[in-house]
Amino acid sequence: MRYLWWLIRCQPWRVLRGSLLGTTWMIGLSARPYLIARAVDDGLRARDARALAFWVAAIIVAGLALSYLGTMRHRTMTFIREDAKARTAEVLLRHLSRIGAALPRRIGAGEVATVGGSDINWTAEVLTLTGPGVGAIIAYAVIAVVLWSISPLLALCVLVGVPVVGLVVGPLLRRLERAESVYRQQQGALTARSGDIVAGLRVLAGVGGRDLFARRYAARSQDLRAEGYRVGAVNSWIDAASVAIPGLFLAAVVWLTARMAVTGDVTIGELVAVYGYVATLIVPVWFLLEGSYQLIRGRVAAQRIADLINVSPDDVGGPGRRWPGAVPDARRPSTLAAPSTLAAPAGPADLHDPVTGLTVRAGQLTGVAADDPAAGVALADRLGRYVVSGTTWGGVPLTGIGLDEVRSRIVVADHDSYLFAGTLRDILRPTGGDAGGDEHDRVRAALRVASAEDVVDALPAGLDTPIDARARTLSGGQRQRVRLARALRTEPEVLILIDPTSAVDAHTEARIAERLHAARAGRTTVVITTSPLLLGRADLVAHLSAGRITSTGTHEGMLDYEPGYRRLVARGSEDPDIERPADTEEAYR
């Protein structure tokens, strides 16, 4: 609810204008029954043609005025909803881009897709209550006062009847909120599963698991459909009640007024007016019922948006920051971020991970061979500050340094990171990079280190060839080399590569290892891999086993004196052709 209130505060004058227009339009609906009543009593019954003409003209003018007010009301409310949609989208996009690769560790892709696809719309729809919703309440009170002037009995019927409608529909609305919450959660989970299946379709087909996952998806889809039927059943009762109950209410009041007209308590004109008032009253009652449904649905959607905003890049892996303490500034959509007060090292500095005991020396190429690939990824997350940890950089806690500075100086490159659509040149060029000759040379240099020149040569327009999202038109090895070239082109102070050559052949891998060592000379580089070709070019190699660094040294020395490392990297092979230095014991030391 606080998020919804923030959306209102972002456009206060527009919301106020919508409320005034909605209220004026809603009250104006009751003007025509009064004018018709005067035309009947003063014109028809009195056989006064002049009075009849006057009141007919007044009815026409009122109709034109109501048409104008209705148009402006609808236009203003559309602006309010679209502003809320755009503002929510901007807040989410800013926050998602800020979280980056840490997001999947807390929220599935399906949940994000569901929030962006429908929850933004449902949240914006709630703001309709600020216009016709406010007007419906005021119009209800005005009509009750007008009816009191005709007959206190009729006014009491109206004052009592409308709350009865709320009492009947209220339990259905609460039931709808529960059903809607369950449905949206299952919908997000199913969307996430479909995304996983599509992303791994080739792998599933290769291992014969496509049919198994298709059956599981179908079963979950059937469960979601059943839950959708439950939501639809409740919604159908609410829709039916929104029409039937006000209709029955209108019939009862008209019947009562007709009896009073027969006895002479009200005139024929007042009978017509009462019918018009009560028929008009159906409009605000319908708006209130529809608004209640929108509020229920919007609250569920707003809660999901708030949950996504609560995921902070500084507490991924820990407790999420709660929304109520961090509402964005209404003037400028922003994201939540913990204050960072510590200064980063002025120059190259060592990175230390207390969880594993690894110290990455500044200016060196460090290779990390992990028994468990997940442990290697977790290490990269800590070194890149994608999770809360005690990692230090030059003795300074990494979580205390400004996140923007960390991201600009420390880059973590995964071997299957996302490739956006665009030309290959745009994919490789950093954000805000110059497109001049120097930039072209830098891109070419990064492609050479990644041994990806052949990828460019194979494309019809070279670097200017359009590439679709995820670069599906490229092979797995080509995509991996493009990702590596993109990471190298950023030229960060610290570059952390996760298995960067797993999809390339041995000859290409050897070229990449040689060129990477030369290109990153004097700059801090961490390569998490079990490839002997990459590890053989590292200045220092560390063996990560059971969550801890068990040994460090050169690749050759570790092969000779660390059986666990040898089994992991050389697959237990005792190949006599493996080059070893003359004094392997000294190299190991």
Side-chain angles (χ1 to χ4, degrees):
M1 292 302 294
R2 184 165 184 176
Y3 181 77
L4 295 173
W5 175 241
W6 175 74
L7 290 176
I8 294 174
R9 289 192 297 112
C10 289
Q11 42 181 337
W13 294 110
R14 184 179 291 156
V15 169
L16 179 60
R17 184 168 66 251
S19 298
L20 292 176
L21 288 172
T23 301
T24 305
W25 173 76
M26 199 78 70
I27 295 176
L29 293 176
S30 61
R32 285 185 297 180
Y34 172 79
L35 297 176
I36 294 174
R38 296 276 60 81
V40 171
D41 286 342
D42 299 344
L44 291 177
R45 293 186 64 197
R47 299 183 182 275
D48 187 343
R50 182 175 297 181
L52 179 61
F54 172 79
W55 291 114
V56 168
I59 293 171
I60 294 174
V61 171
L64 294 175
L66 285 174
S67 298
Y68 174 77
L69 288 173
T71 300
M72 297 305 297
R73 173 196 62 82
H74 182 76
R75 181 180 180 182
T76 303
M77 297 314 302
T78 300
F79 278 132
I80 291 174
R81 289 190 294 267
E82 293 303 317
D83 182 277
K85 292 177 186 178
R87 198 174 299 274
T88 300
E90 184 177 359
V91 169
L92 289 176
L93 287 174
R94 284 177 181 269
H95 193 62
L96 293 177
S97 64
R98 182 178 178 81
I99 297 174
L103 181 65
R105 295 163 179 80
R106 290 291 297 275
I107 298 180
E111 184 76 7
V112 178
T114 303
V115 170
S118 57
D119 287 336
I120 291 178
N121 294 330
W122 299 140
T123 302
E125 290 293 332
V126 179
L127 271 64
T128 302
L129 289 171
T130 62
V134 174
I137 297 174
I138 297 177
Y140 166 67
V142 170
I143 292 177
V145 171
V146 173
L147 286 177
W148 189 277
S149 65
I150 298 176
S151 170
L153 178 60
L154 294 175
L156 288 175
C157 290
V158 172
L159 292 174
V160 173
V162 174
V164 169
V165 175
L167 292 176
V168 173
V169 179
L172 292 175
L173 292 174
R174 288 192 293 270
R175 182 180 174 187
L176 177 64
E177 182 175 17
R178 293 191 298 268
E180 188 84 22
S181 299
V182 175
Y183 176 78
R184 301 310 293 278
Q185 291 173 359
Q186 293 186 6
Q187 186 181 38
L190 186 63
T191 305
R193 171 159 295 195
S194 64
D196 294 340
I197 292 176
V198 171
L201 190 59
R202 292 183 179 179
V203 177
L204 291 175
V207 300
R210 182 167 53 186
D211 292 339
L212 174 62
F213 274 82
R215 288 194 298 271
R216 290 182 178 177
Y217 179 84
R220 292 291 296 272
S221 181
Q222 295 296 326
D223 294 339
L224 180 63
R225 185 180 66 174
E227 191 64 36
Y229 282 155
R230 282 190 283 272
V231 174
V234 180
N235 192 21
S236 65
W237 279 106
I238 294 176
D239 288 343
S242 300
V243 177
I245 295 178
L248 293 174
F249 176 63
L250 172 62
V253 174
V254 170
W255 177 83
L256 179 61
T257 310
R259 298 279 303 213
M260 297 175 66
V262 171
T263 59
D265 294 332
V266 296
T267 66
I268 299 299
E270 289 175 334
L271 169 63
V272 174
V274 168
Y275 171 80
Y277 292 143
V278 180
T280 301
L281 190 61
I282 291 180
V283 178
V285 170
W286 181 86
F287 267 110
L288 290 174
L289 293 175
E290 180 69 13
S292 300
Y293 173 54
Q294 290 176 344
L295 180 60
I296 294 297
R297 190 168 54 183
R299 281 183 55 190
V300 174
Q303 181 60 56
R304 291 160 61 86
I305 292 174
D307 289 341
L308 185 55
I309 296 176
N310 284 337
V311 179
S312 170
D314 293 310
D315 61 14
V316 174
R321 181 171 289 101
R322 299 312 304 161
W323 171 263
V327 178
D329 181 7
R331 295 166 297 179
R332 179 179 179 273
S334 60
T335 54
L336 312 180
S340 301
T341 58
L342 301 179
D350 295 347
L351 274 171
H352 177 69
D353 175 42
V355 177
T356 60
L358 174 68
T359 298
V360 179
R361 300 298 179 187
Q364 289 189 354
L365 195 158
T366 302
V368 178
D371 290 348
D372 181 6
V377 174
L379 172 62
D381 287 342
R382 291 192 295 272
L383 295 177
R385 190 182 158 184
Y386 288 105
V387 295
V388 175
S389 67
T391 303
T392 59
W393 188 19
V396 180
L398 198 60
T399 53
I401 302 173
L403 187 60
D404 291 341
E405 185 165 10
V406 173
R407 292 287 179 263
S408 64
R409 296 174 64 181
I410 301 178
V411 170
V412 178
D414 201 344
H415 69 280
D416 61 350
S417 57
Y418 194 91
L419 292 174
F420 291 93
T423 65
L424 186 57
R425 189 187 305 277
D426 292 335
I427 293 174
L428 296 174
R429 186 169 60 230
T431 302
D434 186 12
D438 183 59
E439 171 63 23
H440 180 78
D441 294 339
R442 291 171 182 267
V443 169
R444 282 289 180 181
L447 288 169
R448 182 182 181 279
V449 175
S451 191
E453 303 102 316
D454 62 316
V455 178
V456 180
D457 296 338
L459 296 175
L463 287 171
D464 296 317
T465 302
I467 304 296
D468 62 356
R470 297 185 181 272
R472 295 185 180 92
T473 55
L474 303 180
S475 68
Q478 289 175 328
R479 286 196 296 270
Q480 192 172 63
R481 284 180 285 161
V482 168
R483 292 186 182 101
L484 177 58
R486 180 178 63 178
L488 291 167
R489 173 59 197 91
T490 61
E491 301 179 358
E493 182 179 324
V494 179
L495 177 60
I496 303 171
L497 301 172
I498 303 175
D499 218 358
T501 58
S502 60
V504 301
D505 59 78
H507 296 289
T508 304
E509 189 175 24
R511 287 196 301 270
I512 292 175
E514 180 181 359
R515 295 172 181 177
L516 179 65
H517 183 270
R520 294 291 299 175
R523 286 181 289 183
T524 307
T525 308
V526 180
V527 182
I528 301 174
T529 181
T530 57
S531 166
L533 295 172
L534 288 174
L535 294 172
R537 289 289 179 175
D539 300 317
L540 182 70
V541 173
H543 182 205
L544 178 58
S545 179
R548 296 288 298 177
I549 298 298
T550 57
S551 57
T552 58
T554 65
H555 172 64
E556 294 82 359
M558 298 272 281
L559 285 175
D560 280 338
Y561 290 94
E562 281 297 325
Y565 177 81
R566 184 168 59 249
R567 285 192 298 271
L568 175 64
V569 175
R571 306 296 188 267
S573 172
E574 298 296 339
D575 189 347
D577 294 331
I578 294 179
E579 294 185 4
R580 294 182 174 85
D583 189 354
T584 54
E585 183 176 0
E586 181 63 28
Y588 173 62
R589 289 174 182 170

